[in-house]
Each structure stands twice: as structure tokens, then as C-alpha cells.
């Protein structure tokens, strides 16, 4: 319920029901999310995924973000270092997960998995253009939200989802082409042997065959004497003995399971270098598109793009007060890490 309430607050405002007392806040208050002001809060990225951090306990306000950006333009505030530190932790954790998965799979099969550079395979002019359009539409979404134009905001969000779906389809097609080339270099599975004619069942053992012959001879004698029912009964007993006779099991041929075993277990996994998800070279385009459009992949893609943006802007000098605060927080974090 808290998560739904938070989403309604973001969409329609905290005072949507007219029962919330308006409180004047400043962007530098302790209960305001600095990461949201800087452009990206991790609590908004992975909702309803295995990486879901739950709703943020601090306030997200576009008005306070505007106030912060004005202060940042004047050089009085800069929360980029805090955001960069958070992003670095998330990326390091994701990269470690990728390395652990590669090591675990390499222990079973050295060629079972590699980290495929999805960012390089899917880096085309059309993809970059779509990403640019998505960013521009997201800016429009925030502008409509700030102005209280809910209908326009919803329409803009629908356009964003359509552009993301289109980009995911294009990325899936490009990655599928790369996987097709990858599959061509793999050792092809052994084709199943052609279906042979089913051999006749082997005869029963000597003792059982002797009993069957006695029953048949008895049925013949009873039939000559005109005792039809007794003769029919003897024939049925002979047939039952044939069915109950033990059959020698044919020798097992492990080669005939090779092709099936390859199809089931030899998936030839690849690891996405952006989010660390497993991909198979045998995945179809629909499955790959679902991966590119998933919240987990989109979240890590936004994180890595934001990191590059912050690295470009890292040359901007920080205010002296902010520098002292940053050094103080780094000392605290280092002291926590050094404790056993």
C-alpha cells in the first residue's frame, strides 16, 4: 500500500484528496531525497523486480528539484558526488555478480558462458536516436507533472513506453543476428540416428515355451473331443503365458540420447554486460525483446548512462562546504569498512 500511495503522490500530488496539510520545505532539508534531486533515485528503478528496494523514505518533489538546480547553477550546491557514489556501488555489485556467474559456469564448461557486450552489439544510429527521443519525452513528462497536467503526462508516458518497446525490438534483432553468428561457430549437436525397423520380440525362455506348447497341445486335444469351452480356456492360458514370459532387455545405447541431451542442457549461455542477466544463443527475438524491455535491464542501463554523464560533468568544481562534507562522509564510510 505504501508503494501504491507513493506512486499516486508522484502522479497526482500528496494533497490529491485535500486532506494533507501543506508543509513548506527546502531542497536541503534532511527528509528530502538528494539522489532524486541529483537526477536518479535507486528506489524508482527496480520496482516489482528481484532488486526492488521498496519505496523511498524521503520526499521526491519536482519543485524542490527545480530549486536545487537553480542553486546548483549558482555554484552553491552539488549533490552529484553522492549520486555518483551510489551508482558506483550498484555497478560494482552488478559486475561482481557477472564475474561470479562466469566463474561458476566456467567450472562446468569453459565455453558455457561469456559476457557479451550488449552495449556494443546494439549500438547503432537508430538506437541512439530512439534513446535521445526517450530522454526528451521523459523531460516532457516531468514538465507536465510539474505543471499539474496529468492527462498530458499520461499521454507522454504512453509514448515513452512505445518508444522503449520499439527500441527493445530493434535491439533484439541486432543481438539475434550476433547470436546466429555465434551459433554458427559452435559445435553442432550430433543428429539423431534414423529410425530403424522395430525388431520382433525375442522368444520366451525354454521352460515357459514348454508350458505354452503343453497348453496348445491340450487345447487341440480338447477341440477334437468337442469340448470347445475347455479348449478356448487352454488357448487363453497359453496366450497369457506368452505375455508373462520375461523378455531380455535390449542393451542400452547411450549415443541415442546425445542429441536430446545437447538440446536440453547445452544452452550456451551468454551474460548481458549491462544487467548481468543470462541469455541463451538459442533464444528467439521475442524473448530477447522482453529482456531489453524489462525493468531490470532498463534500470541498469539508466544507471550506467547516468554514470557516464556524471563523469563528463565531474570537472565542475564543488562548493567548499560540499567538499568538506564529502570528505567527512568518506572518512566515516572508510572507518565503517575497516571495522571487523
Amino acid at each position: 500500500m505504501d508503494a501504491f500511495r507513493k506512486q499516486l503522490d508522484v502522479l497526482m500530488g500528496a494533497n490529491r484528496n485535500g486532506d494533507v496539510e501543506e508543509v513548506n520545505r527546502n531542497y536541503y532539508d534532511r527528509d528530502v531525497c538528494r539522489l532524486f534531486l541529483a537526477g536518479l533515485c535507486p528506489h524508482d528503478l527496480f520496482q516489482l523486480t528481484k532488486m526492488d528496494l521498496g519505496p523511498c523514505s524521503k520526499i521526491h518533489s519536482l519543485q524542490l528539484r527545480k530549486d536545487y538546480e537553480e542553486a546548483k547553477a549558482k555554484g552553491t550546491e552539488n549533490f552529484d558526488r553522492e549520486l555518483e557514489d551510489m551508482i558506483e556501488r550498484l555497478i560494482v555489485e552488478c559486475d561482481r555478480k557477472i564475474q561470479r556467474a562466469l566463474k561458476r559456469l566456467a567450472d562446468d564448461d569453459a565455453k558455457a558462458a561469456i559476457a557479451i557486450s550488449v552495449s556494443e552489439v546494439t549500438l547503432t544510429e537508430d538506437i541512439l536516436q530512439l534513446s535521445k527521443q526517450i530522454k526528451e519525452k521523459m523531460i516532457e513528462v516531468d514538465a507536465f507533472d510539474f505543471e499539474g497536467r496529468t492527462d498530458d503526462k499520461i499521454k507522454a508516458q504512453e509514448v515513452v513506453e512505445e518508444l522503449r518497446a520499439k527500441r527493445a525490438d530493434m535491439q533484439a534483432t541486432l543481438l539475434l543476428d550476433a547470436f546466429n553468428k555465434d551459433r554458427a561457430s559452435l559445435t553442432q549437436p550430433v543428429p539423431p540416428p534414423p529410425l530403424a525397423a522395430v525388431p520382433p520380440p525375442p522368444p520366451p525362455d525354454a521352460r515357459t515355451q514348454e508350458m505354452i506348447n503343453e497348453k496348445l497341445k491340450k487345447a487341440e486335444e480338447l477341440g477334437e473331443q468337442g469340448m470347445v469351452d475347455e479348449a478356448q480356456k487352454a488357448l487363453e492360458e497359453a496366450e497369457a503365458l506368452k505375455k508373462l514370459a520375461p523378455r531380455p532387455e535390449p542393451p542400452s545405447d547411450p549415443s541415442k540420447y546425445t542429441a536430446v541431451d545437447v538440446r536440453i542442457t547445452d544452452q550456451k549461455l551468454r551474460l548481458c554486460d549491462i544487467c548481468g542477466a543470462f541469455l541463451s544463443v538459442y533464444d528467439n527475438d521475442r524473448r530477447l525483446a522482453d529482456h531489453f524491455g524489462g525493468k531490470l535491464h532498463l534500470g541498469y542501463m539508466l544507471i550506467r548512462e547516468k554514470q557516464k554523464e556524471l563523469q563528463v560533468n565531474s570537472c565542475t568544481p564543488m562548493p567548499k562546504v560540499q567538499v568538506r562534507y564529502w570528505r567527512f562522509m568518506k572518512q566515516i564510510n572508510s572507518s565503517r569498512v575497516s571495522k571487523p
Side-chain angles (χ1 to χ4, degrees):
M1 291 301 294
D2 292 338
F4 290 132
R5 192 178 296 109
K6 185 76 174 179
Q7 293 178 0
L8 288 174
D9 290 344
V10 172
L11 182 64
M12 306 178 63
N15 196 26
R16 61 187 181 279
N17 298 325
D19 56 354
V20 177
E21 183 180 354
E22 294 291 341
V23 178
N24 293 326
R25 286 187 173 86
N26 296 309
Y27 68 87
Y28 47 78
D29 290 343
R30 297 176 64 88
D31 57 350
V32 177
C33 180
R34 291 190 171 190
L35 299 178
F36 175 80
L37 298 181
L40 191 64
C41 178
H43 294 268
D44 297 337
L45 295 178
F46 305 113
Q47 295 178 359
L48 303 179
T49 68
K50 60 182 180 181
M51 292 288 296
D52 193 347
L53 301 176
C56 183
S57 60
K58 296 189 176 183
I59 297 172
H60 291 188
S61 171
L62 291 173
Q63 177 61 54
L64 296 180
R65 176 186 280 181
K66 182 181 179 181
D67 296 342
Y68 159 73
E69 290 176 351
E70 292 176 355
K72 180 183 177 182
K74 296 178 182 178
T76 57
E77 293 286 5
N78 194 338
F79 301 151
D80 288 353
R81 290 293 180 87
E82 297 180 39
L83 178 59
E84 189 173 2
D85 185 50
M86 180 275 297
I87 288 176
E88 184 179 356
R89 290 198 302 269
L90 290 176
I91 292 179
V92 168
E93 181 181 355
C94 180
D95 292 342
R96 286 177 178 173
K97 180 179 71 173
I98 293 175
Q99 294 303 320
R100 287 196 301 268
L102 289 174
K103 184 178 183 304
R104 185 175 69 250
L105 292 171
D107 293 339
D108 298 333
D109 182 0
K111 298 181 180 179
I114 60 173
I116 186 167
S117 182
V118 173
S119 54
E120 294 181 3
V121 172
T122 61
L123 190 63
T124 63
E125 188 63 31
D126 293 337
I127 298 294
L128 295 176
Q129 187 64 29
L130 283 174
S131 299
K132 182 180 179 181
Q133 294 177 14
I134 291 172
K135 289 181 180 179
E136 293 174 353
K137 277 296 176 183
M138 289 301 299
I139 294 176
E140 289 185 14
V141 170
D142 290 342
F144 290 146
D145 192 9
F146 181 73
E147 296 172 3
R149 299 163 58 180
T150 305
D151 293 339
D152 293 333
K153 175 187 175 182
I154 294 175
K155 293 178 181 178
Q157 287 177 329
E158 292 175 352
V159 174
V160 169
E161 293 302 321
E162 292 176 359
L163 291 174
R164 285 177 174 172
K166 183 178 180 180
R167 182 179 63 182
D169 290 337
M170 295 177 64
Q171 289 174 321
T173 302
L174 292 171
L175 188 59
L176 186 62
D177 293 339
F179 278 169
N180 289 335
K181 296 177 182 178
D182 197 0
R183 278 203 303 269
S185 63
L186 298 176
T187 303
Q188 297 299 322
V190 179
L195 295 177
V198 179
D205 59 277
R207 174 57 182 165
T208 305
Q209 186 63 44
E210 183 180 354
M211 294 174 62
I212 293 173
N213 293 336
E214 291 178 359
K215 292 291 183 182
L216 293 174
K217 183 178 180 180
K218 182 178 179 181
E220 184 179 357
E221 293 175 354
L222 292 173
E224 291 177 354
Q225 297 175 8
M227 304 173 64
V228 179
D229 293 337
E230 290 78 357
Q232 184 66 31
K233 185 177 180 181
L235 287 174
E236 292 177 356
E237 292 177 353
E239 291 296 327
L241 286 173
K242 290 181 181 180
K243 294 179 180 180
L244 295 176
R247 307 289 185 182
E249 295 185 0
S252 59
D253 185 9
S255 62
K256 68 179 181 179
Y257 301 106
T258 303
V260 178
D261 188 58
V262 167
R263 293 192 189 99
I264 296 176
T265 61
D266 193 7
Q267 294 297 317
K268 296 302 177 184
L269 299 176
R270 303 293 181 258
L271 280 168
C272 176
D273 65 331
I274 294 179
C275 64
F278 286 103
L279 302 172
S280 173
V281 295
Y282 301 109
D283 285 341
N284 54 31
D285 55 347
R286 187 68 264 159
R287 186 179 179 89
L288 295 176
D290 292 340
H291 165 74
F292 284 113
K295 288 186 177 181
L296 196 65
H297 181 85
L298 290 175
Y300 275 110
M301 188 171 66
L302 286 175
I303 287 175
R304 294 181 185 275
E305 290 178 353
K306 192 65 176 179
Q307 185 188 43
K308 294 179 181 178
E309 179 184 337
L310 292 173
Q311 290 174 350
V312 172
N313 299 330
S314 60
C315 298
T316 304
M318 296 177 63
K320 293 183 179 180
V321 176
Q322 194 75 9
V323 172
R324 291 197 297 269
Y325 171 78
W326 178 254
R327 289 175 179 173
F328 174 70
M329 291 303 296
K330 293 288 281 186
Q331 291 176 357
I332 293 178
N333 292 334
S334 62
S335 63
R336 288 176 178 173
V337 173
S338 63
K339 291 182 180 180

